[in-house]
Amino acid sequence: RGSASLLDEELLPQALHPWRSQGKGMVRVKRDWIIPPIRVSENSKQVPEDLVQIKSDKIFTGEVIYKLEGPGVDQEPKNLFEIDDKTGVIRSKRPLDREKHNSFTLKAFALSPSGERLENPTTIEIVVLDQNDNRPAFAQSQFVGTVSEFSVPGTSVMSVLATDADDPMTENAALSYSIIGQESIPANAVTKTMFGINNQTGAIYTRDVGLDREVVKGFRLKLQVADMGGMGLTSEGVAIIHVSDINNHAPQFSPASYSMTAVENRYDYEIGRVNVTDRDDEGTRNWEAQYSISNNADGHFSISTDPTTNQGILTVVKPLDYEAQSEHILTLTVENLSPLSNKAPNLPLSTAKVVVTVVNENEAPHFREEPIQIVVLESVLPGTLLKSNFAFDPDNSDLRYEKIIRDPERWLEINRDTGDITARRSFNMRSPHVKNNIYTAVVKVTDAGGVSATATVAITLKETNDFPPQLFPLSGSVCKGSSSSGLVLTAVDEDLPPQAAPFFFEIPDDLSVNWTVVQVNSKQRLEAGEYAVTVLVSDSGSPALGAYAQVNVTVCSCDSFGDCKSVAGTLLGSSVGINFLALIIIMASIALLLLLLLLAVALTSCGRRHHIKKGTGLLVGESEDDIRDNVFNYDEQGGGEEDENAFNIDLLWNPHDAPSTPGSFYPGSGIPRGKQPLRKDAPHNLPSPTYPRRPPADPTDIEDYINDGLEAADNDPNVPPYDTALIYDYEGEGSLAGSLSSIASGSSDEDQDYDYLNDWGPRFQKLANMYDPR
């Protein structure tokens, strides 16, 4: 009752399927029948073949139609199975291949003619039984392995692998390995069986001793694998086994003695090679040699290995000296990069003897020091020996000292025979070729073979006291009656420390007895006027140098700011007492003076002069003294911060001293004749600018002419420094400067009366003497 299995095994003759007897019968579970798996052998030749019949046990009045679905029927792979829709017999249509499909699961249906399901579908399981239809195959066409020489029996070499496509759960896939052949490389080097194989795992191992790489390089093994535990189908393969090298042979020199030559004074070049032999595998660390020199204390030689030939390359790395040692005997040793195996013979390291003969060559002269050092005073006397025996020849040949090839100041001289360097003239530390007190020159020396060498001569100059200090300013003013007024003096020295500052100031008693030099002192009243004071200034050099200078001091009445008052202010403030009438007379005199000056300018247009040579100028008269040598410079304030190495002092009036008497100085300067202070704000020995030489034709251009000369003097590096009174020296007769006669020349030849100039005071006395009719 209810659903029943569609299979009636008793309806089919058992003789048709004797191998399916274990599947006979049906089991009913929950009113359904379960059909055991149907087992079908692969590769069957009996096709089509009935496999099973299904039948519904339900009672139908009509016709029952059977259908089959699943892989092998209407799904890939299609057309392997079919069912008779009237009888329900399932049969195979083609041979089956287990290696492609090892089982099939199908569904069977019982339908009415109208397509209605009469009962639930039944599952049909078809299992494909394996047959030994696949040969085993090696995983590689050729296996490669390595074994060290002298390996002991049982040493694992490599493993081989094979596979079989048959069912691994059956004997069809049970594999067995074996070695069926052995060939040595080279052939017949070894004839006994050297290797074995595990028939289940395929592991190859050594079976005997005698693996010597120097005898046999390798083996070729012929392998076989069979299924069914070695009784079934078979396949063959190949295994190549290489015998690897061990370092069992030490390198040996061949030959053990060598002779080589090396040229002195050369290095970094090859002088020869040594040879070794080694029976180990070429190109490996067991074969490559490593050389060493056992007696190379001075480090003149080195040895390296040629990686291709394994030769030792001997090289000179430090210049050899034939005169010091003409022959060197070296001892070489050699070993491999890899340590020697314990299976190698116990022998000492191989050694070789190398005799290196040094070849002499003509060497260049050598200098005992480079550069050649000389320390000398800058004021060294010409002919002084500065340096000797500064070069020698390694070959002991005579030297020829060439001239000094670089001596920009031409201060040096060399003896070509002895090589003595002497001073040609005194040095000057202010030369542009002296850098950091060092003057450099270059000397050349040649030996008898013509080989020469040069060296630098470094002369360190030491400062000497060559210049006396110069005093400035050389003029100034002192306030009359002031308790703190004085003239501050400074000095500058061309020398460098310690030959310059500090300076020492002194007033000689016999030259300026009524003045003194102090830092702070009390003063007494002094009459207004011009005074010349002689001062001696000395430096700190050794020996000390000093210079006399005449300082022109103007004593005047000062205002509240310490500046000299005007003439009118001085007179009004004088203690003598000048009444108003005297002041009127003074003003009238000034007006008269201006009128006379205007008259002189008018007379100039007429071209007439009184007691003046035509073309000589107003300032050049009949006086025997040339006034160009007596120009005074007033209100000189100095160069401010340009005063280097200067020290300040106060020049004060001493009432106990007598009036001073000037010496032989440039008038107005206080500097002895022949001495000219040098400025420190510009280099020495530079060319001076061009001064205007021709006076202007038009008197109105006198100012421009004087200003041009002043600008040229300010930019002249060879004139005194800013702080020094500019010195106008005597220029002699026929000066290119001409005269200034056009300033006051008249326009007629009539005589003029200039006696009133004698009444104008000492300031106009020189002018009055020039126009004195006497």
Side-chain angles (χ1 to χ4, degrees):
R1 293 180 177 83
S3 298
S5 172
L6 297 180
L7 177 61
D8 188 358
E9 188 69 24
E10 295 178 350
L11 298 177
L12 295 178
Q14 295 185 6
L16 294 177
H17 310 291
W19 46 272
R20 275 188 280 161
S21 59
Q22 69 269 20
K24 183 178 180 180
M26 296 174 287
V27 180
R28 187 167 184 169
V29 180
K30 294 184 180 180
R31 304 180 66 185
D32 286 334
W33 293 95
I34 298 175
I35 302 175
I38 302 171
R39 304 181 185 276
V40 182
S41 177
E42 65 173 338
N43 304 319
S44 175
K45 304 298 183 181
Q46 299 177 3
V47 290
E49 178 183 7
D50 293 341
L51 303 179
V52 71
Q53 182 181 19
I54 59 174
K55 186 177 180 181
S56 174
D57 61 353
K58 292 184 69 175
I59 299 175
F60 298 105
T61 60
E63 181 183 7
V64 177
I65 300 174
Y66 297 97
K67 295 293 183 182
L68 189 65
E69 294 179 356
V73 180
D74 57 351
Q75 300 178 18
E76 293 296 336
K78 296 180 180 181
N79 300 321
L80 293 180
F81 306 97
E82 65 180 358
I83 189 170
D84 189 319
D85 57 354
K86 296 184 179 298
T87 63
V89 176
I90 299 174
R91 60 178 64 93
S92 63
K93 299 173 62 177
R94 291 183 299 175
L96 302 178
D97 188 354
R98 193 207 66 83
E99 283 70 44
K100 293 182 179 179
H101 305 280
N102 58 3
S103 66
F104 299 90
T105 301
L106 307 177
K107 287 185 180 295
F109 299 89
L111 304 175
S112 68
S114 63
E116 179 185 0
R117 289 185 180 182
L118 300 178
E119 56 181 300
N120 293 332
T122 299
T123 300
I124 307 298
E125 183 76 22
I126 300 176
V127 177
V128 181
L129 298 178
D130 181 52
Q131 288 185 344
N132 192 15
D133 58 347
N134 292 284
R135 291 181 178 274
F138 283 103
Q140 299 174 214
S141 62
Q142 180 176 286
F143 297 89
V144 179
T146 303
V147 62
S148 299
E149 62 177 335
F150 299 107
S151 295
V152 297
T155 302
S156 177
V157 179
M158 59 187 298
S159 292
V160 296
L161 177 65
T163 59
D164 195 316
D166 291 325
D167 189 355
M169 304 304 294
T170 66
E171 288 293 316
N172 298 333
L175 304 182
S176 177
Y177 300 90
S178 61
I179 299 176
I180 60 176
Q182 171 185 297
E183 297 178 7
S184 63
I185 306 173
N188 301 321
V190 176
T191 58
K192 59 182 178 179
T193 302
M194 298 298 299
F195 300 95
I197 188 171
N198 187 309
N199 63 350
Q200 293 183 356
T201 63
I204 299 176
Y205 55 90
T206 59
R207 290 183 56 180
D208 208 340
V209 295
L211 291 175
D212 188 352
R213 198 204 61 83
E214 284 73 38
V215 176
V216 60
K217 300 296 185 294
F219 293 87
R220 178 185 178 90
L221 303 182
K222 189 176 181 180
L223 307 177
Q224 178 179 280
V225 60
D227 56 15
M228 301 296 289
M231 304 302 293
L233 302 177
T234 64
S235 294
E236 294 183 356
V238 176
I240 304 297
I241 300 177
H242 299 287
V243 180
S244 63
D245 181 56
I246 63 173
N247 192 12
N248 61 323
H249 297 286
Q252 301 293 320
F253 281 104
S254 178
S257 180
Y258 298 87
S259 296
M260 303 178 186
T261 59
V263 181
E264 67 171 336
N265 302 320
R266 300 183 187 177
Y267 60 98
D268 289 340
Y269 70 100
E270 177 184 332
I271 63 173
R273 296 192 174 202
V274 295
N275 300 315
V276 295
T277 60
D278 195 321
R279 296 175 57 190
D280 290 317
D281 192 10
E282 183 175 341
T284 64
R285 293 175 61 87
N286 298 331
W287 171 83
E288 187 174 351
Q290 184 176 15
Y291 301 89
S292 60
I293 306 174
S294 59
N295 54 342
N296 186 29
D298 295 331
H300 290 287
F301 305 93
S302 71
I303 189 168
S304 59
T305 304
D306 187 327
T308 303
T309 64
N310 215 24
Q311 292 176 313
I313 306 172
L314 196 60
T315 305
V316 176
V317 295
K318 184 178 179 182
L320 301 173
D321 188 355
Y322 173 83
E323 287 72 25
Q325 187 174 351
S326 61
E327 185 179 82
H328 296 263
I329 300 177
L330 306 178
T331 301
L332 308 182
T333 58
V334 63
E335 55 185 341
N336 294 124
L337 293 180
S338 296
L340 200 62
S341 172
N342 56 4
K343 298 179 181 179
N346 188 13
L347 299 175
L349 291 179
S350 179
T351 61
K353 176 182 178 182
V354 180
V355 179
V356 180
T357 302
V358 182
V359 179
N360 187 30
E361 70 172 0
N362 187 16
E363 302 178 58
H366 291 185
F367 295 93
R368 303 188 187 280
E369 59 179 348
E370 175 65 29
I372 302 172
Q373 299 288 345
I374 299 176
V375 180
V376 66
L377 296 175
E378 64 168 332
S379 59
V380 62
L381 297 177
T384 301
L385 177 63
L386 303 180
K387 197 74 173 182
S388 62
N389 191 26
F390 56 83
F392 66 93
D393 186 71
D395 300 315
N396 300 320
S397 64
D398 294 333
L399 296 180
R400 183 174 71 256
Y401 297 88
E402 306 289 340
K403 64 179 181 180
I404 297 179
I405 59 177
R406 184 181 180 277
D407 182 14
E409 292 288 355
R410 299 182 60 80
W411 286 344
L412 306 176
E413 193 170 22
I414 189 171
N415 188 309
R416 295 198 173 189
D417 296 327
T418 63
D420 294 342
I421 299 178
T422 57
R424 185 194 298 268
R425 55 192 180 93
S426 297
F427 301 150
N428 181 10
M429 293 189 65
R430 290 141 195 88
S431 168
H433 298 99
V434 177
K435 306 297 182 182
N436 298 324
N437 296 348
I438 297 178
Y439 176 75
T440 58
V442 178
V443 64
K444 181 178 180 181
V445 180
T446 306
D447 63 10
V451 180
S452 60
T454 60
T456 301
V457 180
I459 304 176
T460 302
L461 301 179
K462 300 182 67 175
E463 177 77 17
T464 57
N465 199 6
D466 300 321
F467 300 94
Q470 302 296 327
L471 191 69
F472 66 92
L474 298 179
S475 63
S477 61
V478 176
C479 293
K480 175 183 176 183
S482 174
S483 61
S484 61
S485 177
L487 180 62
V488 178
L489 301 180
T490 61
V492 66
D493 199 322
E494 289 280 331
D495 295 313
L496 301 177
Q499 308 296 339
F503 299 109
F504 304 95
F505 299 86
E506 179 184 358
I507 296 181
D509 295 338
D510 55 344
L511 297 181
S512 301
V513 296
N514 53 346
W515 292 86
T516 185
V517 178
V518 295
Q519 292 184 349
V520 178
N521 196 5
S522 60
K523 278 79 62 177
Q524 295 187 4
R525 294 179 60 84
L526 183 67
E527 293 299 327
E530 301 285 341
Y531 298 90
V533 182
T534 301
V535 178
L536 172 63
V537 56
S538 302
D539 57 25
S540 299
S542 178
L545 295 180
Y548 288 94
Q550 179 174 297
V551 182
N552 299 313
V553 183
T554 300
V555 179
C556 61
S557 298
C558 299
D559 54 18
S560 60
F561 299 100
D563 299 328
C564 287
K565 296 180 180 179
S566 62
V567 176
T570 303
L571 293 177
L572 289 174
S574 175
S575 61
V576 176
I578 301 179
N579 57 22
F580 180 76
L581 180 61
L583 180 61
I584 294 299
I585 296 175
I586 292 174
M587 298 300 294
S589 300
I590 294 175
L592 180 62
L593 177 59
L594 294 176
L595 180 63
L596 292 176
L597 290 177
L598 292 175
L599 180 62
V601 172
L603 293 177
T604 301
S605 62
C606 299
R608 301 180 59 86
R609 300 181 304 277
H610 178 68
H611 293 294
I612 301 177
K613 296 180 182 181
K614 186 175 183 180
T616 59
L618 176 64
L619 298 180
V620 181
E622 297 179 352
S623 173
E624 296 180 356
D625 295 331
D626 195 330
I627 53 88
R628 287 176 299 178
D629 200 29
N630 293 273
V631 179
F632 286 83
N633 184 9
Y634 295 96
D635 197 25
E636 178 66 29
Q637 296 182 357
E641 294 183 357
E642 296 289 339
D643 303 334
E644 297 182 5
N645 298 330
F647 289 78
N648 299 333
I649 61 170
D650 287 338
L651 184 64
L652 306 177
W653 167 254
N654 189 337
H656 301 287
D657 296 336
S660 62
T661 303
S664 178
F665 301 96
Y666 288 123
S669 68
I671 298 178
R673 291 185 181 273
K675 295 290 184 178
Q676 178 80 349
L678 300 178
R679 63 195 298 170
K680 300 183 66 177
D681 61 328
H684 299 288
N685 301 326
L686 296 179
S688 299
T690 303
Y691 286 80
R693 306 302 297 174
R694 299 181 61 84
D698 190 349
T700 59
D701 296 333
I702 289 291
E703 180 178 0
D704 294 338
Y705 174 76
I706 295 176
N707 288 334
D708 291 343
L710 177 60
E711 181 179 359
D714 290 340
N715 297 321
D716 191 347
N718 298 315
V719 301
Y722 298 140
D723 307 87
T724 306
L726 187 61
I727 299 170
Y728 297 85
D729 203 350
Y730 182 78
E731 298 179 352
E733 296 295 336
S735 171
L736 295 179
S739 67
L740 303 177
S741 60
S742 60
I743 294 179
S745 298
S747 59
S748 66
D749 294 334
E750 297 180 1
D751 294 339
Q752 298 186 35
D753 185 8
Y754 295 99
D755 292 340
Y756 60 85
L757 296 176
N758 295 317
D759 301 329
W760 285 8
R763 295 289 184 90
F764 294 88
Q765 188 62 44
K766 178 65 72 174
L767 190 62
N769 293 337
M770 294 170 58
Y771 290 87
D772 187 0
R774 300 187 299 273

